[in-house]
Amino acid sequence: MKQIHLALAIHNHQPVGNFDFVFAEAYTKAYLPMLALLERHPAIKLALHYTGPLRDWIAAQQPDFLKRVRALAARGQIELMTGGYYEPILAAIPDADKRGQILKLTRAVKKDFGYDARGLWLAERVWEPHLAKPIADAGVEYTLVDDTHFKYVGLSDDDLFGYYVTEEQGTPLKIFGTSKHLRYAIPWTPVEEVIGWLRAQATEDGARVAVMGDDGEKFGLWPQTYEHCWGSPTSNFQSPTSNLQFPISNAWMENFFQALEQNAEWLHTITLAEYQKKFPALGRIYLPTTSYDEMTEWALPAQLAGDLARLKHQLQDEKREDILRFIKGAFWRNFLIKYPEVNAMHKKMLYVSEKVNSLEGIRGLEKAQKGKKAREGGEGAPAASSLPSTPSDALSHLWASQCNCPYWHGVFGGIYLPHIRHADYAHLIEAEMLADQIARGTRAWVNWELRDYDKDSRAELLVSGSAMNLYFDLARGGAITEWDWRAKKINLVNTLARRAEGYHRDLDDAATRGAVQLPGEANRLDSIHSTVVRAKEAGLEKLLTYDWHRRVGLIDHFLAPETTLEQFARAEYRELGDFVDQEYKAKVKSEKQKAKSGKPALVVALSRDGHVWQGDVFAPLRVEKQIVLRAGETHLPITYILTNSHTQTLALRFGAEFCFALLAGHSDDAYYRAGGLAREQAYLDSRGEIAAKQIAMVNEWLGVEIILKMKRATRLWRAPIETISLSEAGFERVYQGSCVLPMWDVRLAPGAARQIEMEIELKSLPDKE
């Protein structure tokens, strides 16, 4: 009789900083039903992977769940996989952090489930050849990538019913390939078709294994999958752990497991760990840098991503697999080019990792963890009484900041989700603050350095202090691209510019045809890779507009008098100056006299000799901006000096743009505060014009108020930054931040100068009850 093995690996993950209700919904709709299904079918074996953020939530909210998983492991039904604890892209983090994250989750698996993990779930299957060594050096025997990786070196589907061995510097690692066919078939196609496909792959020697590794959330949490996978909540199976009911007759997963049992004579479920011990490798392999097929498409520039998607759909319709096997896009690191905001966060992570990993005691901490593991066989976490806790805390926050979710974007929200970006930055700021406290103590301080921070060969100005960090992009307008309020653990300019995405054409095309599906309309069951266009609200195609520069702080604009707020908000206006994204020079000096508090201060002077259009003349103009940072203080005096370097009088409309990211665009506890602005018109996603001496932006939930103060009443524009992005539930509008633009009409005779003063104060609000 022909036989075959089936190895399923279910990856369960929630991002650092995700909402508690999302964790709870995923637990109820996906993780708990899967556990109950395994309990009902003890003969079915598979691998489970729970990431650290999810494990932490389950341990705090549903501790009995861990005990039940442990029982399945004890009876040999499941294996538990390790990985980076906070689900980082391993290729993108320093080697010390790779090792530390893997060991942290391996110890947690041992502590929670009594299981020695030997397999590693590779986040987003992002593989680079050098990873074999650090993964294996962390005690891992095998990992799992996509079949795409193997096909790029000439293998076919028929070559992937087993595993291969690669090596780096002589250190071996076993590698399985998950089948894209099975990923797309389970749980979308009829059970009998899946079983039929497996039967067709069986052989007389029975040595083959078909592998399917994919997200656990697709079994209930993804749109329309809950009833499909688990059945109607009014059906006839009563869960032993909750008041939910799961049907037997019409639930895909129940039917699938029953079919596996009914065909057990020739179809054998097995864990990956068991298979790699029982069977030899199919051969050696050296895989290229890549990820799963869809990721290579998403990582491309927008125009090419859209072109590639359409080309692949065309070739699939024509059944041209002979050509498709040679079609590929970019690789994961291209997200660092595609989204400057991703690169900024990544380089911040590397900067903080350098600080934290250089702390005295960090290396001793790892040795102590190893010693404890050897003595007790447990997770190996350092005992508070025997080891300094602060270096450990800094390391934990650093690792949490490496959670991959906001570092890219595909069919899920990724970088477009402000609360996920906010969480990673919060951990980065906390890790850096702890590292600085160890190195410097708790006194107030401020310093600066010129450093090629974003790795583009041009230096940025980094001003750091015990109260705030301000990073200035000298090559691009001298703008503030990071503004960390340390006490609140917030990067105030953690915004996201509006830019074209390849899938925007799909929205435009569907809207033109009247084919956009809205909530409440009859929707068929589709995978997240379906070509059906869904949107969470009507008219999103009308909101597609794109920025030509990053939306951050201290951006210098010169506008035509006829420019309207609507034109500026949509980035559909003419910029008259060459200051927004061109180079500024920097000088930094210590303030001659310390503030009354006696704390040190720095004066940052930025300047550019640029030009501004006056009719047909590109007239020379000098812009200087001076910022004073005082140690331990959270207010920022700013002085502009505009000097006419031309031989004729200049008539200018000058504006200084500040964009702040305060998470909530339309919430009663997040609003503008200014004289003459009614509360119902003051949401952070509102737009309008007022004349005022000051305007404040408030988020009571965050406990912050940002107050922009001018010397006299000034014309002020405000407008939200809202992106249109694609998620698993369809196209959606996402609030990324609010722009405030104070403006001044300036007339300068030849050689004359105008000084403009303002101040930004950061005020901490009482904790909201």
Side-chain angles (χ1 to χ4, degrees):
M1 177 185 294
K2 293 183 178 181
Q3 302 182 59
I4 191 170
H5 295 83
L6 174 64
L8 303 173
I10 309 301
H11 159 65
N12 304 292
H13 171 60
Q14 290 299 318
V16 169
N18 210 359
F19 299 118
D20 186 76
F21 74 84
V22 178
F23 279 87
E25 183 182 13
Y27 174 82
T28 300
K29 289 186 173 182
Y31 313 140
L32 183 61
M34 182 66 75
L35 177 61
L37 182 69
L38 287 165
E39 290 172 332
R40 296 198 303 274
H41 298 273
I44 306 301
K45 293 185 174 184
L46 52 73
L48 293 173
H49 174 243
Y50 298 97
T51 63
L54 178 58
R55 177 253 182 184
D56 293 342
W57 185 90
I58 291 174
Q61 302 295 329
Q62 301 288 345
D64 287 344
F65 183 92
L66 300 181
K67 297 176 183 178
R68 293 169 61 187
V69 174
R70 187 183 183 102
L72 296 182
R75 71 189 191 192
Q77 184 180 358
I78 63 169
E79 75 160 302
L80 281 305
M81 299 180 74
T82 188
Y85 192 90
Y86 294 100
E87 193 69 357
I89 300 297
L90 287 178
I93 66 174
D95 286 348
D97 298 330
K98 291 181 180 70
R99 178 179 178 84
Q101 289 236 31
I102 295 169
L103 291 177
K104 182 178 175 71
L105 188 55
T106 299
R107 293 174 186 130
V109 168
K110 180 67 173 180
K111 177 184 177 182
D112 293 341
F113 310 119
Y115 189 89
D116 292 312
R118 289 292 175 260
L120 177 136
W121 182 270
L122 186 65
E124 303 303 327
R125 278 99 78 195
V126 175
W127 173 261
E128 295 186 11
H130 76 275
L131 286 175
K133 182 172 174 55
I135 289 174
D137 285 348
V140 174
E141 296 177 3
Y142 79 86
T143 190
L144 177 69
V145 297
D146 219 57
D147 55 7
T148 301
H149 302 62
F150 294 87
K151 292 178 180 179
Y152 284 169
V153 293
L155 274 65
S156 67
D157 289 323
D158 203 48
D159 299 317
L160 298 180
F161 292 95
Y163 67 91
Y164 290 80
V165 178
T166 191
E167 59 81 25
E168 171 69 8
Q169 300 178 49
T171 301
L173 181 71
K174 300 170 183 176
I175 307 183
F176 288 89
T178 178
S179 164
K180 182 177 180 180
H181 172 82
L182 286 179
R183 282 201 298 116
Y184 277 51
I186 298 174
W188 315 110
T189 61
V191 169
E192 56 270 22
E193 290 187 17
V194 176
I195 299 299
W197 183 87
L198 290 168
R199 186 183 293 276
Q201 314 311 317
T203 58
E204 292 292 344
D205 65 7
R208 280 184 156 196
V209 61
V211 179
M212 196 290 291
D214 210 350
D215 297 347
E217 293 75 28
K218 79 175 187 179
F219 301 105
L221 185 63
W222 288 3
Q224 303 171 311
T225 59
Y226 177 68
E227 289 195 3
H228 172 69
C229 287
W230 308 114
S232 167
T234 60
S235 298
N236 60 1
F237 176 77
Q238 179 70 45
S239 168
T241 59
S242 73
N243 58 6
L244 291 177
Q245 293 181 316
F246 303 97
I248 301 300
S249 60
N250 65 345
W252 197 98
M253 290 300 292
E254 179 68 39
N255 291 340
F256 181 51
F257 272 40
Q258 286 185 8
L260 294 177
E261 292 169 332
Q262 292 163 3
N263 292 276
E265 187 177 6
W266 62 271
L267 177 55
H268 313 293
T269 59
I270 192 170
T271 66
L272 294 166
E274 284 182 303
Y275 186 89
Q276 58 102 21
K277 285 184 178 179
K278 186 176 180 180
F279 294 94
L282 296 176
R284 290 186 304 276
I285 198 80
Y286 292 93
L287 298 176
T289 294
T290 191
S291 180
Y292 47 83
D293 179 58
E294 301 91 339
M295 180 73 80
T296 71
E297 177 185 311
W298 300 331
L300 283 170
Q303 178 67 39
L304 293 178
D307 291 346
L308 182 61
R310 285 164 175 76
L311 175 61
K312 289 197 296 188
H313 286 310
Q314 177 185 334
L315 293 173
Q316 287 165 358
D317 291 342
E318 297 172 357
K319 302 187 185 305
R320 295 305 307 270
E321 294 297 328
D322 57 324
I323 298 177
L324 275 168
R325 64 182 301 181
F326 296 108
I327 302 294
K328 63 179 179 179
F331 74 113
W332 187 88
R333 289 184 192 243
N334 204 54
F335 288 115
L336 304 177
I337 305 300
K338 186 173 183 177
Y339 302 103
E341 296 88 349
V342 168
N343 186 62
M345 186 161 52
H346 179 258
K347 300 309 180 284
K348 174 72 170 186
M349 179 273 293
L350 295 180
Y351 182 61
V352 174
S353 179
E354 181 182 329
K355 280 190 175 185
V356 172
N357 280 294
S358 67
L359 290 175
E360 185 176 351
I362 286 292
R363 299 280 69 82
L365 182 65
E366 183 176 324
K367 292 179 181 178
Q369 289 176 330
K370 288 182 181 178
K372 183 176 176 65
K373 182 182 181 184
R375 292 192 304 272
E376 300 180 6
E379 183 181 353
S385 59
S386 61
L387 290 170
S389 60
T390 304
S392 175
D393 289 343
L395 204 55
S396 292
H397 283 291
L398 167 66
W399 290 346
S401 77
Q402 295 168 343
C403 179
N404 79 83
C405 301
Y407 287 92
W408 62 283
H409 173 63
V411 75
F412 298 100
I415 184 67
Y416 278 93
L417 299 179
H419 64 290
I420 303 299
R421 295 200 311 272
H422 171 82
D424 272 24
Y425 264 114
H427 286 290
L428 281 170
I429 295 166
E430 178 79 359
E432 183 179 27
M433 188 165 60
L434 292 171
D436 286 338
Q437 287 174 356
I438 295 169
R440 296 173 172 273
T442 57
R443 72 185 189 282
W445 60 275
V446 62
N447 68 6
W448 66 279
E449 63 175 317
L450 285 171
R451 180 185 181 115
D452 182 13
Y453 176 76
D454 61 3
K455 309 307 178 188
D456 66 349
S457 82
R458 295 178 287 188
E460 286 72 45
L461 173 61
L462 311 186
V463 181
S464 303
S466 52
M468 298 190 299
N469 301 328
L470 282 92
Y471 298 170
F472 298 88
D473 190 344
L474 302 180
R476 299 170 184 84
I480 299 173
T481 54
E482 181 167 335
W483 186 346
D484 300 330
W485 185 355
R486 289 192 171 206
K488 291 295 184 179
K489 305 176 187 61
I490 300 173
N491 174 9
L492 295 171
V493 294
N494 178 21
T495 58
L496 185 68
R498 302 164 297 183
R499 53 178 56 88
E501 294 286 359
Y503 50 68
H504 282 165
R505 281 187 289 171
D506 298 330
L507 177 62
D508 261 336
D509 292 347
T512 300
R513 302 191 315 270
V516 178
Q517 289 189 357
L518 299 174
E521 296 180 354
N523 294 328
R524 71 171 192 248
L525 176 70
D526 287 298
S527 87
I528 58 171
H529 307 294
S530 166
T531 57
V532 175
V533 175
R534 297 187 178 91
K536 294 185 177 180
E537 59 180 294
L540 290 182
E541 71 281 357
K542 299 174 183 177
L543 301 180
L544 292 175
T545 189
Y546 307 121
D547 295 307
W548 54 280
H549 60 86
R550 283 189 65 184
R551 304 302 299 277
V552 282
L554 206 67
I555 302 172
D556 306 332
H557 291 280
F558 290 91
L559 306 179
E562 64 271 16
T563 298
T564 65
L565 169 58
E566 178 66 19
Q567 290 171 331
F568 181 81
R570 290 186 59 85
E572 296 172 350
Y573 67 99
R574 183 186 177 200
E575 181 70 44
L576 298 182
D578 61 358
F579 296 88
V580 170
D581 59 356
Q582 297 300 305
E583 186 173 5
Y584 274 65
K585 296 178 180 178
K587 293 182 180 179
V588 184
K589 60 182 179 180
S590 297
E591 199 172 49
K592 291 183 178 180
Q593 292 183 342
K594 292 183 178 180
K596 294 180 181 179
S597 61
K599 298 173 183 177
L602 293 177
V603 179
V604 175
L606 307 177
S607 63
R608 171 173 172 76
D609 290 302
H611 299 79
V612 63
W613 285 101
Q614 296 282 283
D616 295 331
V617 178
F618 204 32
L621 176 73
R622 180 176 177 82
V623 173
E624 300 170 84
K625 44 190 176 184
Q626 177 179 287
I627 305 99
V628 180
L629 295 94
R630 294 187 172 89
E633 297 184 4
T634 57
H635 65 272
L636 200 69
I638 300 171
T639 302
Y640 274 96
I641 300 176
L642 310 181
T643 303
N644 182 1
S645 306
H646 192 42
T647 56
Q648 298 179 6
T649 298
L650 301 180
L652 311 169
R653 176 163 291 173
F654 169 70
E657 178 182 354
F658 295 92
C659 301
F660 295 107
L662 292 181
L663 295 182
H666 202 86
S667 174
D668 288 340
D669 60 359
Y671 48 88
Y672 289 101
R673 184 157 50 208
L677 189 60
R679 185 65 178 269
E680 61 271 14
Q681 300 173 322
Y683 291 111
L684 293 181
D685 64 357
S686 66
R687 72 177 56 184
E689 176 182 323
I690 60 172
K693 290 181 63 175
Q694 74 174 44
I695 187 170
M697 302 173 66
V698 177
N699 186 309
E700 296 176 0
W701 183 76
L702 292 173
V704 302
E705 182 175 9
I706 305 168
I707 309 171
L708 175 61
K709 304 175 182 179
M710 277 72 63
K711 289 289 187 180
R712 58 184 60 86
T714 301
R715 187 181 192 184
L716 287 161
W717 282 353
R718 70 186 191 283
I721 304 166
E722 295 176 318
T723 55
I724 306 301
S725 58
L726 185 62
S727 73
E728 64 272 26
F731 285 90
E732 60 187 356
R733 176 186 354 197
V734 182
Y735 168 80
Q736 302 294 347
S738 294
C739 168
V740 176
L741 182 77
M743 292 179 291
W744 297 266
D745 288 325
V746 178
R747 189 173 182 83
L748 294 175
R754 166 77 181 273
Q755 181 169 302
I756 298 170
E757 296 181 2
M758 68 183 82
E759 180 177 327
I760 299 178
E761 178 185 357
L762 309 182
K763 183 178 178 182
S764 181
L765 302 178
D767 292 338
K768 188 175 181 181
E769 296 295 333

